[in-house]
Amino acid sequence: MGPVDVAIVGGGACGTLVAVQLLRHARGPWRIALVERSGALARGLAYGPAESCHLLNVPAAGMSALPDDPGHFVRWSRAAPDAFVPRTVYGAYLEALLVEAHARAAPGISLQLLCGEAVSATVEDGAVRIALLEGGEIQARAAVLALGNLSGADLAVPDGGLYESGLYRRSPWERGALDGVPPEAEVLLLGSGLTMVDAALALQRRGHRGTIHALSRHGLLPRVHGDASGPARPRIGANGVRGLLRALRAATRQGGDWRPAFDALRPVTQRIWSRLSDAERRRFLRHLRAHWEVHRHRMAPEAGAAIARLRARGHLLVHAGRMQSFAIAGGSAVALYRPRGERRPRELRAARVVNCTGPASSLAGARHPLVGSLLAQGLARPDALGMGFSTDRDGALLGGARGLLFTLGSLRRGELWESTSIPELRSQARTVAERLVDDLALPSAAQASI
């Protein structure tokens, strides 16, 4: 294909949001390429392999893809503002939004959809060249890395050949990851967060009746959304992680419910995070991250009730402990772990082990050739915590890319922290699009119509 103005690598939610904003704000002639390895646009891991039992973990009122129109998704879906809509519906919404934005784009703007996997990128003569696994390359004036959540690594323990066997799956979103499990067989899910919840509900939907074991270091389950008992606005006075923790505890005692305290922090989380030193941020990640995640990223009430029923019937057992090793014996996976607070290890046997630990928490643990290529060339550099890329305020990568490479979402989490949910992603997408319009000296359609 010929040169394009902007190449967006990743056609999931992040890439779709950026494409929508570019289509809405730019004027032609301009060419946009949207590259997605799965071939399914507007889905990604969040909305692509989701099943009917998988619900959004944010009410419909908070899921508009357009920062200037908060009620857009509610009107489109005709859902109640407090409803938790199936994720498959949201994927259809993003796709419809992209189609509409393309149809209404200014004359001369083209959007090309490419099925391919970007494996490396170079910057030469003021342009970005993106090489595809399938062969060929894309040349662009600028590129946006909308990679979403990067896949995490396997647990760094002796695996006894498990990782290369048919008894193990690296993600519940792999094709067929939960297929072929005997109904009465035991299953081990590594992790106890929202990814584990999705896997357990998918197994239940398939009629699985055996015991599901969920193992994580802390054994914490995501909390459940519910009606708040009253407003609670934490007053963040002292600096540091301890001050934040004290404020949350005080607000919870005052209001009688922890949910309002966490929800009230949402608009100011970025400001609080920016005030923390790198040492304080590391202290938060080491001591409070697991507790923050289960309170901040909650289950829909229907999902929470289903998980509670599984636990009450003994079909879901949650274990807190550290994995020691894996082995294969008698056609089953054998997991040896040390329970939290105990010295002696225990054993779990399962017909299938599924890694549900979620996305990579650091660039070092990510498995993505494009990310490795950029770091190796110095076109990008890790942030101070090593969680993602170091960027400027608009999402441009700092390093040798000279303002030609941008990113958004989880790859900015080390610097922004709150960077994985739609309310934050839609704002980041608009910021990146507006910066590209300015940098490439292309007036917006709105300016052209004046």
Side-chain angles (χ1 to χ4, degrees):
M1 62 177 294
V4 300
D5 293 284
V6 177
I8 303 172
V9 180
C14 287
T16 299
L17 292 173
V18 173
V20 166
Q21 290 296 328
L22 288 174
L23 291 168
R24 286 163 59 92
H25 288 90
R27 60 169 294 183
W30 210 20
R31 299 179 71 191
I32 306 168
L34 186 56
V35 187
E36 169 55 40
R37 61 182 178 181
S38 71
L41 292 176
R43 299 305 199 272
L45 284 180
Y47 312 113
E51 302 183 19
S52 59
C53 59
H54 295 150
L55 306 177
L56 296 174
N57 64 333
V58 174
M63 292 299 292
S64 171
L66 304 177
D68 55 347
D69 188 356
H72 189 266
F73 177 63
V74 169
R75 295 196 307 274
W76 182 90
S77 64
R78 299 181 180 179
D82 59 350
F84 292 83
V85 178
R87 293 214 301 268
T88 52
V89 172
Y90 196 75
Y93 163 68
L94 290 178
E95 183 176 10
L97 190 66
L98 180 63
V99 171
E100 179 185 8
H102 190 201
R104 295 186 176 184
I109 293 181
S110 67
L111 175 65
Q112 297 172 276
L113 310 178
L114 301 177
C115 181
E117 180 177 0
V119 293
S120 66
T122 58
V123 173
E124 301 174 6
D125 301 324
V128 181
R129 295 182 181 273
I130 301 171
L132 303 179
L133 177 65
E134 297 77 12
E137 68 175 20
I138 303 169
Q139 180 178 328
R141 296 171 65 193
V144 180
L145 309 179
L147 305 181
N149 291 322
L150 301 181
S151 299
D154 301 322
L155 295 185
V157 300
D159 69 288
L162 175 70
Y163 293 160
E164 302 305 321
S165 75
L167 300 174
Y168 177 72
R169 297 293 187 275
R170 287 182 167 81
S171 166
W173 310 123
E174 285 185 5
R175 185 181 299 275
L178 303 177
D179 296 343
V181 179
E184 304 295 338
E186 297 193 34
V187 176
L188 173 58
L189 305 179
L190 304 176
S192 61
L194 289 173
T195 304
M196 181 282 295
V197 169
D198 287 340
L201 295 180
L203 284 168
Q204 181 190 41
R205 183 172 179 269
R206 286 165 166 76
H208 184 264
R209 300 182 297 274
T211 302
I212 302 171
H213 299 275
L215 172 67
S216 67
R217 290 180 59 185
H218 296 88
L220 298 173
L221 285 174
R223 302 305 193 257
V224 182
H225 280 279
D227 296 329
S229 60
R233 298 188 177 277
R235 300 177 62 183
I236 310 298
N239 292 324
V241 172
R242 290 184 178 178
L244 174 61
L245 183 59
R246 284 196 297 269
L248 286 172
R249 285 175 172 170
T252 299
R253 287 194 297 269
Q254 176 186 6
D257 189 348
W258 54 267
R259 294 177 185 86
F262 270 82
D263 294 342
L265 279 178
R266 182 71 177 271
V268 296
T269 299
Q270 309 293 42
R271 188 164 72 246
I272 295 173
W273 186 255
S274 68
R275 278 193 257 160
L276 298 177
S277 66
D278 290 340
E280 283 293 299
R281 292 179 184 181
R282 292 189 182 94
R283 184 174 293 116
F284 174 89
L285 295 175
R286 187 167 57 251
H287 298 295
L288 291 182
R289 179 175 184 169
H291 298 274
W292 174 277
E293 297 283 7
V294 298
H295 288 83
R296 168 65 185 84
H297 300 287
R298 311 196 281 266
M299 290 186 279
E302 183 178 335
I307 290 296
R309 289 193 295 269
L310 287 175
R311 298 188 73 188
R313 293 196 296 261
H315 291 331
L316 174 62
L317 301 180
V318 181
H319 309 272
R322 187 185 294 271
M323 186 60 65
Q324 302 290 297
S325 65
F326 293 106
I328 298 176
S332 297
V334 181
L336 196 67
Y337 77 101
R338 183 165 59 85
R340 190 175 180 86
E342 299 183 17
R343 293 186 176 182
R344 291 187 177 183
R346 296 186 186 181
E347 181 181 285
L348 290 173
R349 288 178 175 261
R352 182 72 53 85
V353 178
V354 184
N355 191 334
C356 298
T357 54
S361 59
S362 69
L363 287 183
R367 300 190 303 266
H368 201 292
L370 178 57
V371 170
S373 167
L374 296 174
L375 292 173
Q377 298 174 76
L379 295 177
R381 62 180 186 234
D383 60 49
L385 302 178
M387 297 181 68
F389 290 135
S390 181
T391 62
D392 68 11
R393 62 184 300 172
D394 296 330
L397 270 58
L398 300 180
R402 299 189 292 277
L404 300 180
L405 294 173
F406 294 78
T407 193
L408 71 163
S410 61
L411 285 173
R412 299 190 68 191
R413 198 176 189 195
E415 296 180 337
L416 298 181
W417 183 244
E418 194 69 68
S419 193
T420 59
S421 299
I422 290 297
E424 287 73 36
L425 296 180
R426 67 193 180 198
S427 295
Q428 291 182 26
R430 180 172 62 179
T431 298
V432 168
E434 290 175 347
R435 169 75 177 269
L436 286 169
V437 167
D438 291 340
D439 284 1
L440 300 181
L442 293 171
S444 69
Q447 291 172 330
S449 65
I450 297 177

